[in-house]
């Protein structure tokens, strides 16, 4: 019973962290999400229809970062035979995102904003790839 409770708590915390990161991505990193790639198709379509290249660029950066993270996470999880070590990558990357945010005075712009978006999406993709490689794809946290 303790193991199931710990797993549920970890899943809840990971999901809350994802929601917070998506809010930051949407409100401050270009109007796109860091973990919900299906939702980023909307901004790509809006940008295509309105000519808002910046929005399309942000969405493509998020999708690319997430895809790269998914490949990285699943590859490492498969090679090491476990998800726990790989899940430690996420907080390291997110600490780097936080440091980058602070270094830009809390108002990232231009290439710095896109780099933070790519890193945040990479962290979320890494988690998704890891969870999937660990055989827990029925319990998504991103």
């Amino acid at each position: 019973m303790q193991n199931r409770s710990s797993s549920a708590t970890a899943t809840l915390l990971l999901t809350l962290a994802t929601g917070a990161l998506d809010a930051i991505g949407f409100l401050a990193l270009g109007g796109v999400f860091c973990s919900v790639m299906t939702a980023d198709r909307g901004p790509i379509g809006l940008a295509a229809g309105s000519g808002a290249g910046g929005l399309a660029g942000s969405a493509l950066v998020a999708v690319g970062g997430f895809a790269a993270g998914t490949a990285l996470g699943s590859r490492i999880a498969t090679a090491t035979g476990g998800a726990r070590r790989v899940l430690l990558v996420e907080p390291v990357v997110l600490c780097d995102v936080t440091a980058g945010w602070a270094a830009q005075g809390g108002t990232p712009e231009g290439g710095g904003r896109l780099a933070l978006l790519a890193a945040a999406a990479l962290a979320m993709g890494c988690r998704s790839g890891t969870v999937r490689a660990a055989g827990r794809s029925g319990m998504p946290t991103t």
Side-chain angles (χ1 to χ4, degrees):
M1 185 69 172
Q2 177 73 11
N3 192 20
R4 178 176 266 184
S5 177
S6 296
S7 179
T9 300
T11 300
L12 176 65
L13 291 173
L14 289 170
T15 303
L16 288 171
T18 299
L21 193 57
D22 274 337
I24 291 168
F26 190 79
L27 297 172
L29 294 178
V32 296
F33 299 100
C34 300
S35 73
V36 185
M37 295 301 104
T38 54
D40 284 335
R41 292 184 304 185
I44 293 171
L46 287 170
S50 68
L55 182 58
S58 293
L60 292 172
V61 166
V63 170
F66 190 88
T70 301
L72 179 67
S74 61
R75 173 169 270 168
I76 295 172
T78 301
T80 63
R84 289 183 185 204
R85 286 187 206 133
V86 186
L87 287 176
L88 295 176
V89 171
E90 181 183 339
V92 170
V93 173
L94 294 179
C95 284
D96 289 344
V97 169
T98 302
W101 183 283
Q104 295 181 56
T107 54
E109 295 180 9
R113 181 183 54 80
L114 291 176
L116 293 176
L117 176 61
L122 182 122
M124 295 294 96
C126 191
R127 184 198 312 160
S128 284
T130 301
V131 168
R132 188 162 184 78
R136 299 203 177 228
S137 59
M139 192 165 71
T141 60
T142 60

